[in-house]
Amino acid sequence: MAPRKRSGRGMSAIFCCFRGSDHPEITYRLRNGSNFALPTIEPAWPMPPVEELDIKFTELVDELDLPDKHREAMFALPAEKKWQIYCSKKKEQEENKGATSWPEFYIDQLNSMAARRTLLALEQEDEEERSKTIESLKTALRTQPMRFVTRFIDLDGLTCILNFLKSMDYEISESRIHTSLIGCIKALMNNSQGRAHVLAHPESINVIAQSLSTENIKTKVAVLEIMGAVCLVPGGHRKVLASMLHYQKYASERTRFQTLVNDLDRNTGRYRDEVSLKTAIMSFINAVLSQGAGEDSLDFRLHLRYEFLMLGIQPIIDKLRGHDNSTLDRHLDFFEVLRNEDELQISRKFDTIHIETKSANQMFDLVRKKLSHTEAYPHFMSILHHCLQMPYKRGGSTVQYWLLLDRIVQQIVIQNDKGLDPDVSPLENFNVKHVVRMLVNENEVKQWKEQAEKMRKEHNELQQKFEKKERECDTKTQEKEEMMQTLNKMKEKLEKESSEHKAAKQQVADLTTQIHDLSMRAVQAAVPSGPSGPPGAPGGPLPPPPPGGGLLPPPPPMGVPPPPPPPPPPGGPPPPPGPPPLGGMPPPPGAPQGLALKKKNIPEPKNPLKSFNWSKLPENKLIGTLWSDVDDVRVFKELDLQDIERTFSAYQRQQDFFGNTNGRQKEVDSNDDTLSSKQKIKELSVIDGRRAQNCNILLSRLKLSNEEIKRAILSMDEQEDLPKDMLEQLLKFIPEKSDIDLLEEHKHELDRMAKADRFLFEMSRISHYQQRLQSLYFKKKFAERVAEVKPKVEAIRSASKELLQSRSLKQLLEVVLAFGNYMNKGQRGNAYGFKISSLNKIADTKSSIDKNITLLHYLITVLEKKYPKVVSLHDQLSSISDAAKVNMTELEKEINTLRSGLKAVESEMEYQKSQPPVPGDKFVSVVGQFITVAGFSFSDVEDLLVEAKELFSKVVKYFGEDPLKMQPDEFFGIFDQFIQAFAEAKQENENIRKRKEEEERRARMEAQLKEQRERERKSRKAKENSEEGGEFDDLVSALRSGEVFDKDLSKLKRNRKRINSQVTENTRERPVTKLNC
């Protein structure tokens, strides 16, 4: 059967006459093969300059994804013909622009069809419609521009096809739909990008191979043609072999090629279908044997062919000669010639004419002769000897031993020098070259292992030392950084205090000067200015100075009200009134306390609305809050009040709304702990047995001697020998007074003491051992505790600032206030503010037209339209979530713990200063430095806490709440809960919007599909005539006809004649089949 010649994608027989030397006329090919020349088509647009035409024509050719030969022919055309082709192609694309030109449409259809897995519930028309849709996809993949294929790949259309193939039931697998799906894959592989995508897909070839289980001959032929052509593609041969192994498991076959050999021997009674299937099978078998690693490796070809011979393919091939079909005979000839050539090559290896692979004796004799008098012969005899000892029972697992031996030998034969298997590995992770190299010299390997073990131990020791030094460096670096930070803070604080001191000193000097000046004025004012003295008795005392003159009386102390003014002299004017009370002018009699608030002009809804369950803020608590600056009346100008009334009406029918800690580690086995009790010398133990056992476990984990532990405690662990967790455990084993008394009684038997007893005795000799250990533990944990506390304080501080400074939050509250005043009537309405806890009640008010929509959803919709900046509220309040987790009581408790621990360390340092120095004792120097740094770090935390409390109190008052009754976790928790609900409602709105858009898109596609249906039906016949093939189609055609093997077949025939002329004919059990030359 001659292959049908095809040309580039989507072009109507453009290349049908490229073989001549002249430039071709554009012709259309009819079904009967006759051609007729079209009259000259006048382009719809004037031809552009040559440079612009070349650019546009290059884009068109790139879209067609043509082979190099056809590309050169296209570019060789005259400019007029290029422009004519370009215009006709663009016009065709415009006409086909519709729903069916979108890959999304076909992918949706494939997914929909895959969901309906059976044809039983379908009418005949539905089945035809599904088949037409898939055929339309196959045509589109061949004829549409390259961007269609690219888009189809990007949307993972191949996976949709494969999923449909995997989910088919029996009826669909035997229908035309199955054949069309395989045709879609074949069409996708017709260009380089699609072919690369199919080969790169991890499941594509395996799923295609599964289709061999169908009884539909056309489907089987299409599958075999694809897989045979894949064998010819670089990297495809091994994928095909792996897919056949996958099919063996899928179909529960004994071997991977069982189905192919069975189909090759089956008679269907339909000559054309039977010949077509058997030709496809033989072309596939020849491709498997001669391509991939089989091109160069004789061993690999023999390995694969033996699988077919074991299945009895040779008698079937002899029988196939009776079909008398030239194409089939061509494939049979190639199989026979290639087999004879390979058998001659393997025969020459053993210096013989022919090897009868069915004779075990002949094969054994050949191997024995070949290995005789070689170093390998003893190993060959050893193999035979051990084969005699293999189990020979019938049934059971006996055959598995021979299968293992068979697979090992197979892998030794076919694995290449690089350790790669051209076929699927009979044994995984079995590298023959590596194993052989290991067996070269076992003694060397043993020595290398011992040397490696020694080096591994040395490496572990060095690694431990390195980690210890690294911990020391990290600790010192951290201490240095903390010291530098503390010094910088001290410097800033000193500079600040110095400047304040100078300012205070200057102020004192100025005040002293003023007092001196005032004193001089007072003295001068006291001297009589006239000749006559003041009235009074002569020689009597001077009267007191008038109230306006002399020294000023001292000001009243802070917090004490000024004294009342003196009574007026007789006949004088009345005294001025005293200062007004704090807070401004006194209210007039009978006026209500607080602001003089005017009644709001709130629009009234025409119909009753659902109420918003908020808590009004009393008017007398509005002073100093943000509500005094909020004006919700102006919001009513922006709101669509009719829409609110419609959405939240009290009576309306439903309709569419939218257009801790880790557990401790388990203790070590008691076997390690009891080794010390099995010593030859009886040990002395006076402390509690359980306590001693736990102490031994601790010491074994610590891996330090008593002297090293003592040195570490005295030096405050400068070498970082004691981790924090070990210090915490050591605090549990402080020697008690009863333990010390008992140990003192037996101190003369120190050598006999048990390990735990001796440890406690040694530690009890350290002065203030418990206080030292506690101080060391506090020192190591201080930075960690500060790092835990500081972020909590910072969270309260930052969250308070964010709430005070957020304009979006203020705008949001203004809009919510307007909503509430509009929706609520009577005493619940006409509010000037509301409690912040009401924010979390917004979602409780549901729409009367859609129960899934709440007032919060509607509020977000309004904000997105009118106040878009408010929608990003969560970005401005990023610290709220952390602040909502802070409990002030627990925070103050943690800070008090730090304060008391710091004081305890200071007290211990004062005590150690008063004690005589001990060699190696560095407590005073180390702890003194620590207290300096820690004191400033702690004071910094305290300052932050004071600032955070002030800001928190301010923000609570700002929102009209009582700071004495509101804790941070409760206050910030309200905002945190609202922000989360706000984000969730916003996402739900987005989901609803996307869902609606998707429904509209689907409806639009269906409408366009309906409009394009008639046009597509009219143009389908023309497209079928103009279907253009590609490289993959050419490959399949060459494989089907056997052209791909012509070169190899001619070469093998020449070799065969030359060999036959040199050797004499010997008798054989199977005569060489005559070739149909």
Side-chain angles (χ1 to χ4, degrees), residues 1020-1046:
R1020 183 174 292 118
K1021 289 184 179 180
K1023 285 191 175 183
E1024 287 176 357
N1025 290 337
S1026 62
E1027 274 189 11
E1028 305 301 335
E1031 297 176 28
F1032 198 73
D1033 272 340
D1034 297 339
L1035 206 60
V1036 170
S1037 298
L1039 182 66
R1040 185 190 301 123
S1041 63
E1043 292 176 4
V1044 73
F1045 304 122
D1046 280 353

Side-chain angles (χ1 to χ4, degrees), residues 35 83 110 262 328 504 647 671 765 784 796:
N35 297 334
W83 181 239
L110 286 172
N262 290 344
L328 178 58
T647 306
N671 296 334
R765 314 298 291 179
E784 180 181 330
I796 296 177

Side-chain angles (χ1 to χ4, degrees), residues 48 62 93 287 345 427-428 459 535 546 586 712 793 852 860 872 901 1037 1039:
D62 289 341
Q93 291 178 6
Q345 288 188 42
L427 294 174
E428 295 182 1
H459 170 74
V793 182
N852 295 323
I860 293 171
S872 59
S1037 298
L1039 182 66

Side-chain angles (χ1 to χ4, degrees), residues 775 899 901-911 927 931 935:
S775 300
R899 185 183 293 109
L902 205 56
K903 288 181 178 178
V905 174
E906 291 175 352
S907 300
E908 180 61 22
M909 187 181 70
E910 294 300 326
Y911 170 79
V927 172
I931 288 176

